[in-house]
Amino acid sequence: MPKVNTPKPSARDRLLAAADELFYREGVQTVGIDRIIERAGVAKASLYNIFGSKDELVRAYLESRHASTSERIDRTLTRFRTPRERLLGVFDAQGELFCEPGFNGCAFTTASAEAPRGSSAEAAADLYRSWVRTLFMDLAREAGVVDYEALARQLHLLYDGAGLSARMDRDPSAATTARAAAALLFDAAPKDDDAADQEWTAPTASSSLPAPARA
């Protein structure tokens, strides 16, 4: 059988992979540029030519985390058909993350806590949090919730709390607890019954639902 040559990842991809591993596990301030370069197997000049600075590498790392979270949630929500199930499905996606080996809490919370005001890390974290809130608002509105903004704020607090509990208490079941609380809040919220009863259908080539913004 002929040998298949697998293309070697680009210097940018290797740097991002190293940053994702080390920044997430140990923190963006603890890990220096030299360790990223050593792990990626690239020259120091490559990092500065591609990203310009460590601050911009941190931004790229967080943007990559944002994209992977968005993809995970999108993929999970395709399993559900009713608006209620899709809304609560966000917590199912979160629970899958909590069960992964090496889970170490919210990358955005950790990075922004370590970063100075006005940094790229703070900007990336702000974008991510805005995306999560908008996701909950869109799903609540799709489910016919009258005051979807208020419900989105409540669900965002549950989402944050589940992430903190999963990390600090080493409790992956926090997502299940948050989901149950979210169900109570959703069921108690006033709704437009016509919208709430509609079954969701996957987008087709001629019609698609608005997708969450991505960093």
Side-chain angles (χ1 to χ4, degrees), residues 67-180:
S68 64
T69 299
S70 174
E71 289 166 4
R72 175 193 295 275
I73 292 176
D74 285 347
R75 186 169 60 249
T76 299
L77 297 193
T78 61
R79 303 202 304 255
F80 303 108
R81 284 293 171 262
T82 69
R84 181 182 186 275
E85 289 172 343
R86 283 170 50 74
L87 182 66
L88 300 178
V90 176
F91 295 95
D92 293 320
Q94 192 181 35
E96 292 173 4
L97 175 64
F98 295 168
C99 292
E100 286 189 349
F103 171 71
N104 196 32
C106 175
F108 301 90
T109 300
T110 304
S112 60
E114 295 179 324
R117 288 287 184 184
S119 66
S120 293
E122 183 180 62
D126 287 347
L127 273 175
Y128 171 75
R129 292 188 61 75
S130 176
W131 172 78
V132 173
R133 182 71 59 83
T134 301
L135 172 65
F136 278 127
M137 283 196 296
D138 288 346
L139 291 170
R141 182 169 49 219
E142 174 189 311
V145 175
V146 175
D147 193 350
Y148 54 84
E149 292 185 9
L151 182 63
R153 288 194 297 272
Q154 294 169 338
L155 298 184
H156 198 174
L157 285 172
L158 287 174
Y159 185 89
D160 287 345
L164 181 62
S165 182
R167 171 63 181 86
M168 299 298 292
D169 301 330
R170 295 169 292 282
D171 178 17
S173 71
T176 303
T177 304
R179 190 189 197 280

Side-chain angles (χ1 to χ4, degrees), residues 200-212:
W200 180 82
T201 33
T204 64
S206 58
S207 107
S208 62
L209 294 172

